Amino acid sequence: MTPDWTPLDAELARWAAEGLTLPLWWRDDDAVSTTPQLDRLTALAEDLDLPVHLAVIPAGADTALADHVTAHPHLVPVVHGWAHQNHVPATEKKAEFRAHRPLSEILTEAGQGKARLQALFGDALRPMFVPPWNRIAPEVTAGLPPLGYRALSTATPRRSPMAAPGLAQVNTHLDPIDWRGSRGLVAPQTLIAQTATLLADRREGRADATEPFGILTHHLVHDDEIWQFSGALLARLLAGPCQPWTMPAEETDR
């Protein structure tokens, strides 16, 4: 069944009528190497002419991935924790960078992650930290700027443009995967309605309209429905009053 895009189209029309522009960005998590799924992600980014911020797991990243990124400038590597390893008790939600270990150990891994990806990707690496499962302790956040990070990305609308002094907060806002259920695509009409509501919240002042609106994908686990909807959503947004956003190489975008 073809989704009814009317709610989103109507909201984008309101943005256009009010002379507003939506900053738009795309993050895709968990890359470590080249795969057929990465090839499909790359092709979609190129077809859309939209950079995709590839959150790379440093401990597992290989040179094949680095070579692929070098050959495809629409892929923008950022740091995805260290090993994507859970360190919290089974009674809590998974996290790698919450305060369940000595802070010095946690920050050492954050620094190692940046250093390893810098060695692999060189100047292509952007100084953004993406904690696995989008969870991070405040004291870890505060320790990221001295390591050279200039942005933190988790999920849901940000409460402040800055996560800590010298560290911008640039989150993702819509994830099309039903992680707690089928692990397939959330009902398209639900996703369309959620997107329209998120944009209306920005337009009407209930959320920060200057924060880049983030679409989050996970190329390694997509089925055809997730691929098709994600591509269609991004294309719809790009056809509206949107301005693609890319994490700067050296300075924080606020």
Side-chain angles (χ1 to χ4, degrees):
M1 180 181 295
T2 302
D4 177 8
W5 294 95
T6 301
L8 179 56
D9 290 344
E11 181 58 31
L12 289 171
R14 294 185 188 101
W15 276 68
E18 296 182 23
L20 302 174
T21 301
L22 177 70
L24 175 69
W25 81 298
W26 180 11
R27 197 185 97 202
D28 185 279
D29 288 2
D30 302 343
V32 291
S33 187
T34 54
T35 61
Q37 296 96 324
L38 181 65
D39 289 340
R40 187 165 181 177
L41 180 75
T42 304
L44 180 58
E46 292 174 345
D47 287 346
L48 293 168
D49 193 19
L50 178 66
V52 55
H53 293 71
L54 199 63
V56 179
I57 302 171
D62 63 19
T63 56
L65 178 63
D67 291 343
H68 184 83
V69 168
T70 298
H72 298 281
H74 280 80
L75 302 180
V76 180
V78 298
V79 183
H80 196 25
W82 170 243
H84 211 296
Q85 181 178 353
N86 179 38
H87 290 283
V88 307
T91 54
E92 299 182 32
K93 293 181 178 180
K94 292 180 179 179
E96 185 174 37
F97 284 83
R98 297 288 294 274
H100 292 83
R101 299 179 287 154
L103 180 60
S104 59
E105 177 182 331
I106 298 171
L107 291 176
T108 294
E109 289 188 353
Q112 288 175 336
K114 187 174 185 294
R116 182 155 200 279
L117 295 192
Q118 194 81 58
L120 279 173
F121 298 109
D123 292 341
L125 183 71
R126 304 303 167 92
M128 172 183 281
F129 188 78
V130 179
W133 297 286
N134 292 306
R135 299 186 183 109
I136 188 168
E139 54 266 46
V140 179
T141 297
L144 293 178
L147 300 176
Y149 289 104
R150 295 295 173 260
L152 172 69
S153 181
T154 58
T156 71
R158 67 188 182 188
R159 296 181 179 180
S160 170
M162 306 302 291
L167 190 72
Q169 184 85 52
V170 185
N171 288 348
T172 59
H173 305 90
L174 192 83
D175 183 340
I177 299 177
D178 180 13
W179 292 105
R180 297 181 182 179
S182 68
R183 298 182 74 85
L185 181 68
V186 173
Q189 291 309 135
T190 298
L191 292 169
I192 291 168
Q194 287 176 348
T195 306
T197 297
L198 287 165
L199 298 192
D201 286 344
R202 290 165 170 250
R203 181 175 52 81
E204 296 173 358
R206 292 185 294 275
D208 183 352
T210 66
E211 181 184 16
F213 183 72
I215 303 298
L216 174 60
T217 57
H218 291 75
H219 68 279
L220 291 172
V221 299
H222 286 191
D223 59 24
D224 281 342
E225 284 189 320
I226 297 171
W227 280 116
Q228 291 167 11
F229 181 85
S230 299
L233 174 62
L234 287 165
R236 209 91 181 186
L237 291 169
L238 288 168
C242 292
Q243 177 64 49
W245 179 87
T246 305
M247 173 69 198
E250 295 297 334
E251 61 183 12
T252 300
D253 185 287
R254 300 186 186 181

